Amino acid sequence: MPKFDKSVSRIRFFADIPRFVEGTCESPGKVTVTPERCEYVLGLGPCGRVVTELRYSLDSSYLTVTQTSYPQDAPEDVEVELLTLIKRLHDVTGGYRSVDPGASGDQWVSVQQDRIDGLKAIRRAREKLKEIKQFTYKVQEITGRIETTHI
């Protein structure tokens, strides 16, 4: 089976999960296998973090689910605004000048550069809070079908 990597908004399946059950003085511990529903979705997760990216890869032996998440109170994602401002500033300083009324061109460029610097600081703070987790399951332990919702 070929390996591939797909971005999804949801993946759900059942897997037989081995669990160790502690023993007592009279009997040793043992491993039990219980079927468990495994579901990963974008958005607020049971751990209290917001999952922003969800990917899975599958080969003949393993299913790996990778999720990227941030705490609920993490700064907003500013990537689109940042790239838009950088492009706009580049267009203006590259010869095309469309300045705000009442502001000199240099003053407008300075204001835009300050905003870009602020957005870069927000992006750095957000990246420090990013968490990437991988969950790997043996294909032989998966029972039934794997359901996915693609973005």
PDB file of all heavy atoms in Angstrom, residues 63-91:
ATOM      1  N   LEU A  63      -1.003   3.865  10.435  1.00  0.00           N
ATOM      2  CA  LEU A  63      -1.782   5.074  10.198  1.00  0.00           C
ATOM      3  C   LEU A  63      -1.256   6.107  11.184  1.00  0.00           C
ATOM      4  O   LEU A  63      -1.213   5.837  12.393  1.00  0.00           O
ATOM      5  CB  LEU A  63      -3.272   4.834  10.452  1.00  0.00           C
ATOM      6  CG  LEU A  63      -4.145   6.086  10.557  1.00  0.00           C
ATOM      7  CD1 LEU A  63      -4.241   6.786   9.203  1.00  0.00           C
ATOM      8  CD2 LEU A  63      -5.522   5.740  11.080  1.00  0.00           C
ATOM      9  N   THR A  64      -0.815   7.242  10.683  1.00  0.00           N
ATOM     10  CA  THR A  64      -0.301   8.300  11.547  1.00  0.00           C
ATOM     11  C   THR A  64      -1.169   9.540  11.371  1.00  0.00           C
ATOM     12  O   THR A  64      -1.366  10.011  10.253  1.00  0.00           O
ATOM     13  CB  THR A  64       1.163   8.641  11.206  1.00  0.00           C
ATOM     14  OG1 THR A  64       1.945   7.445  11.337  1.00  0.00           O
ATOM     15  CG2 THR A  64       1.706   9.709  12.132  1.00  0.00           C
ATOM     16  N   VAL A  65      -1.684  10.053  12.488  1.00  0.00           N
ATOM     17  CA  VAL A  65      -2.474  11.281  12.496  1.00  0.00           C
ATOM     18  C   VAL A  65      -1.600  12.364  13.111  1.00  0.00           C
ATOM     19  O   VAL A  65      -1.053  12.186  14.200  1.00  0.00           O
ATOM     20  CB  VAL A  65      -3.773  11.108  13.315  1.00  0.00           C
ATOM     21  CG1 VAL A  65      -4.558  12.410  13.346  1.00  0.00           C
ATOM     22  CG2 VAL A  65      -4.620   9.973  12.757  1.00  0.00           C
ATOM     23  N   THR A  66      -1.456  13.484  12.415  1.00  0.00           N
ATOM     24  CA  THR A  66      -0.651  14.607  12.901  1.00  0.00           C
ATOM     25  C   THR A  66      -1.560  15.806  13.070  1.00  0.00           C
ATOM     26  O   THR A  66      -2.280  16.182  12.144  1.00  0.00           O
ATOM     27  CB  THR A  66       0.472  14.952  11.899  1.00  0.00           C
ATOM     28  OG1 THR A  66       1.244  13.774  11.648  1.00  0.00           O
ATOM     29  CG2 THR A  66       1.369  16.047  12.439  1.00  0.00           C
ATOM     30  N   GLN A  67      -1.538  16.383  14.277  1.00  0.00           N
ATOM     31  CA  GLN A  67      -2.373  17.566  14.511  1.00  0.00           C
ATOM     32  C   GLN A  67      -1.518  18.718  15.017  1.00  0.00           C
ATOM     33  O   GLN A  67      -0.610  18.535  15.812  1.00  0.00           O
ATOM     34  CB  GLN A  67      -3.517  17.264  15.471  1.00  0.00           C
ATOM     35  CG  GLN A  67      -3.135  17.046  16.897  1.00  0.00           C
ATOM     36  CD  GLN A  67      -4.340  16.839  17.805  1.00  0.00           C
ATOM     37  OE1 GLN A  67      -5.419  16.490  17.349  1.00  0.00           O
ATOM     38  NE2 GLN A  67      -4.160  17.062  19.085  1.00  0.00           N
ATOM     39  N   THR A  68      -1.812  19.907  14.511  1.00  0.00           N
ATOM     40  CA  THR A  68      -1.178  21.132  14.952  1.00  0.00           C
ATOM     41  C   THR A  68      -2.207  21.900  15.754  1.00  0.00           C
ATOM     42  O   THR A  68      -3.340  22.089  15.297  1.00  0.00           O
ATOM     43  CB  THR A  68      -0.725  21.975  13.745  1.00  0.00           C
ATOM     44  OG1 THR A  68       0.160  21.182  12.939  1.00  0.00           O
ATOM     45  CG2 THR A  68      -0.016  23.240  14.180  1.00  0.00           C
ATOM     46  N   SER A  69      -1.813  22.336  16.952  1.00  0.00           N
ATOM     47  CA  SER A  69      -2.782  23.024  17.802  1.00  0.00           C
ATOM     48  C   SER A  69      -2.134  24.183  18.547  1.00  0.00           C
ATOM     49  O   SER A  69      -0.909  24.273  18.656  1.00  0.00           O
ATOM     50  CB  SER A  69      -3.402  22.045  18.810  1.00  0.00           C
ATOM     51  OG  SER A  69      -2.425  21.615  19.734  1.00  0.00           O
ATOM     52  N   TYR A  70      -3.004  25.052  19.042  1.00  0.00           N
ATOM     53  CA  TYR A  70      -2.609  26.217  19.832  1.00  0.00           C
ATOM     54  C   TYR A  70      -3.531  26.304  21.047  1.00  0.00           C
ATOM     55  O   TYR A  70      -4.671  25.842  20.986  1.00  0.00           O
ATOM     56  CB  TYR A  70      -2.758  27.509  19.014  1.00  0.00           C
ATOM     57  CG  TYR A  70      -1.856  27.571  17.814  1.00  0.00           C
ATOM     58  CD1 TYR A  70      -2.257  27.060  16.590  1.00  0.00           C
ATOM     59  CD2 TYR A  70      -0.596  28.142  17.909  1.00  0.00           C
ATOM     60  CE1 TYR A  70      -1.420  27.114  15.481  1.00  0.00           C
ATOM     61  CE2 TYR A  70       0.242  28.195  16.802  1.00  0.00           C
ATOM     62  CZ  TYR A  70      -0.178  27.685  15.598  1.00  0.00           C
ATOM     63  OH  TYR A  70       0.643  27.736  14.518  1.00  0.00           O
ATOM     64  N   PRO A  71      -3.076  26.943  22.133  1.00  0.00           N
ATOM     65  CA  PRO A  71      -3.983  27.165  23.258  1.00  0.00           C
ATOM     66  C   PRO A  71      -5.130  28.089  22.832  1.00  0.00           C
ATOM     67  O   PRO A  71      -4.994  28.863  21.874  1.00  0.00           O
ATOM     68  CB  PRO A  71      -3.117  27.861  24.315  1.00  0.00           C
ATOM     69  CG  PRO A  71      -1.721  27.801  23.830  1.00  0.00           C
ATOM     70  CD  PRO A  71      -1.741  27.462  22.379  1.00  0.00           C
ATOM     71  N   GLN A  72      -6.249  28.017  23.551  1.00  0.00           N
ATOM     72  CA  GLN A  72      -7.405  28.850  23.207  1.00  0.00           C
ATOM     73  C   GLN A  72      -7.066  30.333  23.245  1.00  0.00           C
ATOM     74  O   GLN A  72      -7.599  31.113  22.462  1.00  0.00           O
ATOM     75  CB  GLN A  72      -8.555  28.584  24.181  1.00  0.00           C
ATOM     76  CG  GLN A  72      -9.227  27.258  23.985  1.00  0.00           C
ATOM     77  CD  GLN A  72     -10.405  27.107  24.914  1.00  0.00           C
ATOM     78  OE1 GLN A  72     -11.212  28.015  25.064  1.00  0.00           O
ATOM     79  NE2 GLN A  72     -10.508  25.955  25.541  1.00  0.00           N
ATOM     80  N   ASP A  73      -6.195  30.723  24.154  1.00  0.00           N
ATOM     81  CA  ASP A  73      -5.879  32.153  24.312  1.00  0.00           C
ATOM     82  C   ASP A  73      -4.676  32.596  23.470  1.00  0.00           C
ATOM     83  O   ASP A  73      -4.142  33.683  23.679  1.00  0.00           O
ATOM     84  CB  ASP A  73      -5.634  32.481  25.785  1.00  0.00           C
ATOM     85  CG  ASP A  73      -4.480  31.677  26.388  1.00  0.00           C
ATOM     86  OD1 ASP A  73      -3.980  30.743  25.720  1.00  0.00           O
ATOM     87  OD2 ASP A  73      -4.087  31.975  27.523  1.00  0.00           O
ATOM     88  N   ALA A  74      -4.273  31.776  22.506  1.00  0.00           N
ATOM     89  CA  ALA A  74      -3.152  32.147  21.633  1.00  0.00           C
ATOM     90  C   ALA A  74      -3.556  33.334  20.757  1.00  0.00           C
ATOM     91  O   ALA A  74      -4.736  33.511  20.437  1.00  0.00           O
ATOM     92  CB  ALA A  74      -2.760  30.967  20.751  1.00  0.00           C
ATOM     93  N   PRO A  75      -2.589  34.149  20.366  1.00  0.00           N
ATOM     94  CA  PRO A  75      -2.909  35.261  19.459  1.00  0.00           C
ATOM     95  C   PRO A  75      -3.511  34.744  18.149  1.00  0.00           C
ATOM     96  O   PRO A  75      -3.245  33.625  17.732  1.00  0.00           O
ATOM     97  CB  PRO A  75      -1.546  35.914  19.188  1.00  0.00           C
ATOM     98  CG  PRO A  75      -0.641  35.430  20.262  1.00  0.00           C
ATOM     99  CD  PRO A  75      -1.175  34.102  20.710  1.00  0.00           C
ATOM    100  N   GLU A  76      -4.321  35.567  17.524  1.00  0.00           N
ATOM    101  CA  GLU A  76      -4.941  35.212  16.240  1.00  0.00           C
ATOM    102  C   GLU A  76      -3.862  34.968  15.188  1.00  0.00           C
ATOM    103  O   GLU A  76      -2.768  35.520  15.262  1.00  0.00           O
ATOM    104  CB  GLU A  76      -5.836  36.362  15.754  1.00  0.00           C
ATOM    105  CG  GLU A  76      -7.076  36.578  16.586  1.00  0.00           C
ATOM    106  CD  GLU A  76      -8.160  35.572  16.289  1.00  0.00           C
ATOM    107  OE1 GLU A  76      -8.284  35.153  15.124  1.00  0.00           O
ATOM    108  OE2 GLU A  76      -8.863  35.194  17.230  1.00  0.00           O
ATOM    109  N   ASP A  77      -4.195  34.166  14.195  1.00  0.00           N
ATOM    110  CA  ASP A  77      -3.294  33.929  13.074  1.00  0.00           C
ATOM    111  C   ASP A  77      -3.280  35.187  12.211  1.00  0.00           C
ATOM    112  O   ASP A  77      -4.321  35.623  11.718  1.00  0.00           O
ATOM    113  CB  ASP A  77      -3.767  32.730  12.263  1.00  0.00           C
ATOM    114  CG  ASP A  77      -2.790  32.341  11.169  1.00  0.00           C
ATOM    115  OD1 ASP A  77      -1.708  32.968  11.067  1.00  0.00           O
ATOM    116  OD2 ASP A  77      -3.102  31.411  10.421  1.00  0.00           O
ATOM    117  N   VAL A  78      -2.128  35.794  12.041  1.00  0.00           N
ATOM    118  CA  VAL A  78      -2.004  37.057  11.306  1.00  0.00           C
ATOM    119  C   VAL A  78      -1.279  36.881   9.978  1.00  0.00           C
ATOM    120  O   VAL A  78      -0.921  37.868   9.335  1.00  0.00           O
ATOM    121  CB  VAL A  78      -1.281  38.123  12.167  1.00  0.00           C
ATOM    122  CG1 VAL A  78      -2.101  38.482  13.394  1.00  0.00           C
ATOM    123  CG2 VAL A  78       0.115  37.655  12.556  1.00  0.00           C
ATOM    124  N   GLU A  79      -1.072  35.649   9.553  1.00  0.00           N
ATOM    125  CA  GLU A  79      -0.262  35.380   8.367  1.00  0.00           C
ATOM    126  C   GLU A  79      -0.807  36.055   7.105  1.00  0.00           C
ATOM    127  O   GLU A  79      -0.054  36.661   6.346  1.00  0.00           O
ATOM    128  CB  GLU A  79      -0.137  33.870   8.154  1.00  0.00           C
ATOM    129  CG  GLU A  79       0.970  33.469   7.218  1.00  0.00           C
ATOM    130  CD  GLU A  79       2.354  33.790   7.764  1.00  0.00           C
ATOM    131  OE1 GLU A  79       2.543  33.836   8.983  1.00  0.00           O
ATOM    132  OE2 GLU A  79       3.247  34.005   6.932  1.00  0.00           O
ATOM    133  N   VAL A  80      -2.115  35.972   6.879  1.00  0.00           N
ATOM    134  CA  VAL A  80      -2.698  36.549   5.657  1.00  0.00           C
ATOM    135  C   VAL A  80      -2.536  38.069   5.666  1.00  0.00           C
ATOM    136  O   VAL A  80      -2.108  38.671   4.674  1.00  0.00           O
ATOM    137  CB  VAL A  80      -4.187  36.147   5.519  1.00  0.00           C
ATOM    138  CG1 VAL A  80      -4.844  36.902   4.378  1.00  0.00           C
ATOM    139  CG2 VAL A  80      -4.311  34.648   5.297  1.00  0.00           C
ATOM    140  N   GLU A  81      -2.854  38.694   6.793  1.00  0.00           N
ATOM    141  CA  GLU A  81      -2.706  40.153   6.884  1.00  0.00           C
ATOM    142  C   GLU A  81      -1.250  40.562   6.712  1.00  0.00           C
ATOM    143  O   GLU A  81      -0.950  41.538   6.010  1.00  0.00           O
ATOM    144  CB  GLU A  81      -3.237  40.661   8.228  1.00  0.00           C
ATOM    145  CG  GLU A  81      -3.157  42.175   8.367  1.00  0.00           C
ATOM    146  CD  GLU A  81      -3.629  42.688   9.718  1.00  0.00           C
ATOM    147  OE1 GLU A  81      -4.049  41.883  10.572  1.00  0.00           O
ATOM    148  OE2 GLU A  81      -3.572  43.915   9.907  1.00  0.00           O
ATOM    149  N   LEU A  82      -0.345  39.814   7.314  1.00  0.00           N
ATOM    150  CA  LEU A  82       1.074  40.132   7.209  1.00  0.00           C
ATOM    151  C   LEU A  82       1.556  40.048   5.764  1.00  0.00           C
ATOM    152  O   LEU A  82       2.198  40.969   5.256  1.00  0.00           O
ATOM    153  CB  LEU A  82       1.884  39.183   8.100  1.00  0.00           C
ATOM    154  CG  LEU A  82       3.395  39.342   8.075  1.00  0.00           C
ATOM    155  CD1 LEU A  82       3.792  40.740   8.541  1.00  0.00           C
ATOM    156  CD2 LEU A  82       4.050  38.282   8.949  1.00  0.00           C
ATOM    157  N   LEU A  83       1.222  38.973   5.073  1.00  0.00           N
ATOM    158  CA  LEU A  83       1.656  38.825   3.680  1.00  0.00           C
ATOM    159  C   LEU A  83       1.041  39.893   2.780  1.00  0.00           C
ATOM    160  O   LEU A  83       1.699  40.404   1.867  1.00  0.00           O
ATOM    161  CB  LEU A  83       1.324  37.425   3.174  1.00  0.00           C
ATOM    162  CG  LEU A  83       2.099  36.286   3.849  1.00  0.00           C
ATOM    163  CD1 LEU A  83       1.599  34.936   3.356  1.00  0.00           C
ATOM    164  CD2 LEU A  83       3.587  36.424   3.628  1.00  0.00           C
ATOM    165  N   THR A  84      -0.215  40.243   3.049  1.00  0.00           N
ATOM    166  CA  THR A  84      -0.880  41.295   2.265  1.00  0.00           C
ATOM    167  C   THR A  84      -0.174  42.635   2.455  1.00  0.00           C
ATOM    168  O   THR A  84       0.080  43.361   1.481  1.00  0.00           O
ATOM    169  CB  THR A  84      -2.360  41.407   2.675  1.00  0.00           C
ATOM    170  OG1 THR A  84      -2.993  40.146   2.461  1.00  0.00           O
ATOM    171  CG2 THR A  84      -3.072  42.487   1.873  1.00  0.00           C
ATOM    172  N   LEU A  85       0.144  42.969   3.703  1.00  0.00           N
ATOM    173  CA  LEU A  85       0.832  44.241   3.962  1.00  0.00           C
ATOM    174  C   LEU A  85       2.226  44.268   3.346  1.00  0.00           C
ATOM    175  O   LEU A  85       2.651  45.285   2.798  1.00  0.00           O
ATOM    176  CB  LEU A  85       0.927  44.499   5.468  1.00  0.00           C
ATOM    177  CG  LEU A  85      -0.308  45.089   6.119  1.00  0.00           C
ATOM    178  CD1 LEU A  85      -0.101  45.200   7.626  1.00  0.00           C
ATOM    179  CD2 LEU A  85      -0.640  46.450   5.543  1.00  0.00           C
ATOM    180  N   ILE A  86       2.943  43.157   3.439  1.00  0.00           N
ATOM    181  CA  ILE A  86       4.290  43.108   2.854  1.00  0.00           C
ATOM    182  C   ILE A  86       4.213  43.302   1.341  1.00  0.00           C
ATOM    183  O   ILE A  86       4.984  44.066   0.765  1.00  0.00           O
ATOM    184  CB  ILE A  86       4.991  41.788   3.224  1.00  0.00           C
ATOM    185  CG1 ILE A  86       5.344  41.781   4.706  1.00  0.00           C
ATOM    186  CG2 ILE A  86       6.234  41.567   2.365  1.00  0.00           C
ATOM    187  CD1 ILE A  86       5.854  40.443   5.225  1.00  0.00           C
ATOM    188  N   LYS A  87       3.253  42.638   0.697  1.00  0.00           N
ATOM    189  CA  LYS A  87       3.094  42.791  -0.755  1.00  0.00           C
ATOM    190  C   LYS A  87       2.716  44.229  -1.107  1.00  0.00           C
ATOM    191  O   LYS A  87       3.269  44.819  -2.029  1.00  0.00           O
ATOM    192  CB  LYS A  87       2.041  41.830  -1.281  1.00  0.00           C
ATOM    193  CG  LYS A  87       1.871  41.911  -2.794  1.00  0.00           C
ATOM    194  CD  LYS A  87       0.791  40.981  -3.284  1.00  0.00           C
ATOM    195  CE  LYS A  87       0.607  41.012  -4.776  1.00  0.00           C
ATOM    196  NZ  LYS A  87       0.763  42.243  -5.471  1.00  0.00           N
ATOM    197  N   ARG A  88       1.791  44.795  -0.349  1.00  0.00           N
ATOM    198  CA  ARG A  88       1.348  46.176  -0.607  1.00  0.00           C
ATOM    199  C   ARG A  88       2.506  47.159  -0.436  1.00  0.00           C
ATOM    200  O   ARG A  88       2.704  48.052  -1.258  1.00  0.00           O
ATOM    201  CB  ARG A  88       0.210  46.519   0.339  1.00  0.00           C
ATOM    202  CG  ARG A  88      -0.442  47.837   0.077  1.00  0.00           C
ATOM    203  CD  ARG A  88      -1.672  47.976   0.959  1.00  0.00           C
ATOM    204  NE  ARG A  88      -2.251  49.283   0.828  1.00  0.00           N
ATOM    205  CZ  ARG A  88      -3.025  49.838   1.733  1.00  0.00           C
ATOM    206  NH1 ARG A  88      -3.318  49.195   2.836  1.00  0.00           N
ATOM    207  NH2 ARG A  88      -3.513  51.038   1.539  1.00  0.00           N
ATOM    208  N   LEU A  89       3.287  46.970   0.633  1.00  0.00           N
ATOM    209  CA  LEU A  89       4.432  47.851   0.864  1.00  0.00           C
ATOM    210  C   LEU A  89       5.457  47.697  -0.253  1.00  0.00           C
ATOM    211  O   LEU A  89       6.024  48.676  -0.732  1.00  0.00           O
ATOM    212  CB  LEU A  89       5.060  47.536   2.224  1.00  0.00           C
ATOM    213  CG  LEU A  89       6.192  48.456   2.665  1.00  0.00           C
ATOM    214  CD1 LEU A  89       5.702  49.895   2.784  1.00  0.00           C
ATOM    215  CD2 LEU A  89       6.772  47.986   3.986  1.00  0.00           C
ATOM    216  N   HIS A  90       5.675  46.469  -0.707  1.00  0.00           N
ATOM    217  CA  HIS A  90       6.606  46.223  -1.804  1.00  0.00           C
ATOM    218  C   HIS A  90       6.120  46.902  -3.082  1.00  0.00           C
ATOM    219  O   HIS A  90       6.896  47.516  -3.816  1.00  0.00           O
ATOM    220  CB  HIS A  90       6.780  44.720  -2.040  1.00  0.00           C
ATOM    221  CG  HIS A  90       7.728  44.414  -3.150  1.00  0.00           C
ATOM    222  ND1 HIS A  90       7.312  44.205  -4.442  1.00  0.00           N
ATOM    223  CD2 HIS A  90       9.074  44.285  -3.159  1.00  0.00           C
ATOM    224  CE1 HIS A  90       8.361  43.969  -5.208  1.00  0.00           C
ATOM    225  NE2 HIS A  90       9.438  44.001  -4.449  1.00  0.00           N
ATOM    226  N   ASP A  91       4.814  46.801  -3.361  1.00  0.00           N
ATOM    227  CA  ASP A  91       4.255  47.457  -4.542  1.00  0.00           C
ATOM    228  C   ASP A  91       4.454  48.971  -4.474  1.00  0.00           C
ATOM    229  O   ASP A  91       4.798  49.608  -5.465  1.00  0.00           O
ATOM    230  CB  ASP A  91       2.760  47.148  -4.689  1.00  0.00           C
ATOM    231  CG  ASP A  91       2.506  45.709  -5.094  1.00  0.00           C
ATOM    232  OD1 ASP A  91       3.466  45.030  -5.507  1.00  0.00           O
ATOM    233  OD2 ASP A  91       1.348  45.260  -4.981  1.00  0.00           O
TER     234      ASP A  91
END
